[in-house]
């Protein structure tokens, strides 16, 4: 979180600069309404900015080399941000997303096998079956509908089946409402001004209610599993069978709850948003869409992809990657400095907040030619090889890189292939589309579309 904008004309591109602040009230309004508004687009080309509000030193880090320093080279000096801890801590506890140190390392080691590429291969059939079930529902769709909501329901269904071998069909609407509450959480003023963490932050009532409802879901999941015995081979089984190397003890119910909720939330909302933005961009770029159809028809000829097909869906992958460049679902990565450091010649004091806006980075004109243009060719292998590896970070970087990135890409490829072989998604009039920077980057009013059956080689109209 950063308060960096002001008079952008006074800042040279590629500069390291202290910036005049926005008026305090304007800054607070923007942070709490739409985080994308906090960074003026004229600053997307600035490497590093700093500002201070009351007790909080705040940096916006926007140069790949500096980002690499924070996320990788000197990662030990940077913790997950205090914003994340106070906002998400009550829900996610010591789950993978926000835990730290040796505890985090142990949990990550336990969870890692669930995301191994061999396992993802075995999930591909489930990705396809869940997509088929959604498409069967779509057959009855005659009026425009919100495909962003459909993607959310689909990815939730997938995460429940693959990671926990359970179904949440009856609970999808309720979980969606609860997730909405979480995604709309806003940083407290105490955090924005850098007040110490020991001062209690009051959580909004709907959030406390959402936590209680999520806990009931986890309790059901655990009870179901304990009744059924351990004949499963999923993430939940791995968490349940993990033993501490020294004490031999298993995970407490509290820790299980934290990890389950973390995977539920981190594992569906982001992928759903990536897909919604992909449909939006494809609808607006018919040539890219035609090339996608050509590839799907050639490689799949109307069938669902298997794991081996995914490597052949090169253009489809490039489209997804470019969609996540323009609309990175995790639009902001924030860290808090533990000790003092130096970045781009500037002193970073302990406790400072460092914001990496992937939204700004992915639109940095020093890194991307004509950044606002949708152009999947940016992800051709030669173009990727020519770029700094920290110039594109939809999944973050360094040791805290998204554990689900391979899972998410495979899932998104299957879903795009399943849907685009059957339909073109056309934007419905009267529903303006604009991004909003909440905890994730969502289309503010959803994404309303109508369906046009395809009549190509694979179309089954
Ligand atoms: C397109 C989809 C996704 C995007 C854009 C995304 C993005 C990210 C990002 C940027 C981070 C790093 C945050 C940071 O460094 O502060 C992260 C971490 C994480 N993601 Fe994802 N994610 C996606 C899908 C998934 C899926 C499918 C799962 C699980 C099934 C998942 C689980 C996690 C977890 C557990 C972490 C914390 C990892 C750790 O710190 O060890 N994500 N994700």
């Amino acid at each position: 979180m950063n308060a960096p904008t002001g008079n952008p004309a006074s800042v040279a591109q590629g500069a390291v600069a202290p910036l005049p602040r926005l008026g305090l009230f304007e800054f607070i309004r923007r942070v709490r309404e739409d985080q994308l508004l906090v960074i003026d687009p004229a600053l997307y080309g600035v490497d590093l900015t700093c500002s201070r509000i009351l007790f909080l030193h705040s940096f916006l880090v926007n140069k790949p080399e500096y980002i690499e320093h924070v996320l990788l080279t000197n990662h030990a000096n940077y913790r997950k941000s205090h914003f994340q801890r106070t906002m998400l801590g009550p829900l996610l506890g010591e789950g993978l997303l926000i835990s730290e140190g040796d505890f985090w390392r142990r949990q990550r080691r336990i969870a890692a096998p669930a995301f191994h590429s061999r396992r993802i291969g075995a999930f591909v059939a489930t990705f396809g079956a869940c997509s088929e079930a959604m498409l069967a529902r779509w057959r009855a769709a005659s009026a425009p509908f919100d495909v962003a909501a459909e993607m959310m329901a689909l990815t939730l269904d997938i995460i429940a089946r693959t990671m926990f071998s359970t179904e949440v069909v009856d609970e999808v609407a309720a979980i969606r409402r609860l997730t909405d509450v979480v995604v709309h959480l806003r940083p407290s003023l105490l955090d924005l001004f850098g007040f110490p963490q020991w001062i209690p932050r009051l959580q909004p009532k709907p959030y406390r209610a959402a936590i209680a409802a999520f806990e009931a879901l986890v309790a059901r999941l655990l009870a179901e599993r304990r009744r059924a015995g351990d004949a499963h081979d999923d993430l939940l089984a791995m968490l349940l069978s993990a033993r501490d190397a020294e004490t031999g003890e298993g995970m407490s119910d509290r820790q299980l709850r934290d990890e389950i909720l973390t995977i539920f939330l981190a594992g569906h909302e982001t992928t759903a948003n990536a897909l919604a933005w992909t449909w939006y961009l494809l609808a607006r770029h018919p040539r890219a869409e035609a090339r996608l159809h050509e590839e799907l028809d050639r490689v799949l000829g109307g069938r669902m992809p298997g794991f081996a097909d995914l490597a052949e869906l090169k253009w489809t992958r490039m489209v997804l990657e470019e969609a996540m460049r323009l609309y990175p679902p995790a639009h902001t990565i924030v860290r808090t400095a533990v000790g003092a450091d130096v970045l781009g010649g500037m002193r970073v004091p302990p406790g400072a907040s460092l914001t990496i806006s992937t939204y700004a980075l992915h639109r940095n004109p020093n890194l991307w030619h004509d950044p606002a243009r949708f152009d999947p060719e940016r992800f051709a292998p030669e173009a990727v090889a020519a770029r700094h590896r920290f110039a594109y970070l939809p999944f973050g970087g360094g040791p805290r890189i998204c554990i689900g990135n391979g899972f998410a890409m495979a899932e998104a490829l299957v879903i795009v292939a399943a849907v685009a072989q059957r339909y073109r998604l056309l934007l419905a009039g009267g529903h303006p589309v604009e991004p909003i920077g909440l905890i994730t980057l969502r289309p503010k009013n959803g994404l309303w579309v109508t369906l046009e059956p395809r009549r190509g080689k694979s179309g089954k109209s």
Side-chain angles (χ1 to χ4, degrees), residues 80 84 96-97 104 108 115 159 163 262-263 266-267 270-271 274 324 329-330 333-335 393-396 399-404 407-408 411:
K80 291 287 181 124
Q84 231 170 3
L96 262 185
L97 194 66
W104 162 77
R108 176 118 183 174
F115 296 93
I159 209 73
M163 293 286 149
T262 297
I263 296 297
T270 40
T271 316
M324 286 195 290
I333 296 171
V334 197
R335 294 290 188 269
L393 296 173
F395 294 106
R400 302 302 296 251
I401 194 170
C402 176
I403 198 171
F407 181 99
E411 177 186 14

Side-chain angles (χ1 to χ4, degrees), residues 361-401:
L361 177 74
H362 293 177
R363 289 163 185 258
N364 183 335
N366 305 324
L367 305 172
W368 308 93
H369 175 68
D370 197 1
R373 192 164 56 89
F374 175 70
D375 179 9
E377 290 290 354
R378 299 179 202 272
F379 291 90
E382 324 75 71
V384 173
R387 238 182 345 255
H388 194 290
R389 65 189 171 132
F390 280 74
Y392 177 68
L393 296 173
F395 294 106
R400 302 302 296 251
I401 194 170

Side-chain angles (χ1 to χ4, degrees), residues 108-165:
R108 176 118 183 174
R109 248 197 325 269
I110 293 170
F115 296 93
H116 193 276
S117 62
R118 254 198 333 271
R119 285 199 168 251
I120 295 172
F123 293 149
V124 164
T126 309
F127 300 158
C130 294
S131 307
E132 284 284 12
M134 178 189 72
L135 289 169
R137 283 199 312 273
W138 284 13
R139 263 188 235 129
S142 49
F145 65 95
D146 179 5
V147 75
E150 287 290 302
M151 292 298 111
M152 214 58 92
L154 174 58
T155 54
L156 187 59
D157 187 21
I158 287 176
I159 209 73
R161 285 172 196 267
T162 52
M163 293 286 149
F164 308 111
S165 310

Side-chain angles (χ1 to χ4, degrees), residues 421-433:
Q421 290 195 92
R422 205 73 61 81
Y423 296 111
R424 294 186 68 213
L425 272 53
L426 311 177
L427 298 177
H431 295 277
V433 181

Side-chain angles (χ1 to χ4, degrees), residues 73-96:
T73 326
N74 198 22
H75 72 88
N77 190 47
Y78 295 96
R79 295 167 62 86
K80 291 287 181 124
S81 85
H82 61 281
F83 291 104
Q84 231 170 3
R85 194 150 269 287
T86 43
M87 283 192 333
L88 295 177
L91 179 68
L92 305 183
E94 291 298 321
L96 262 185

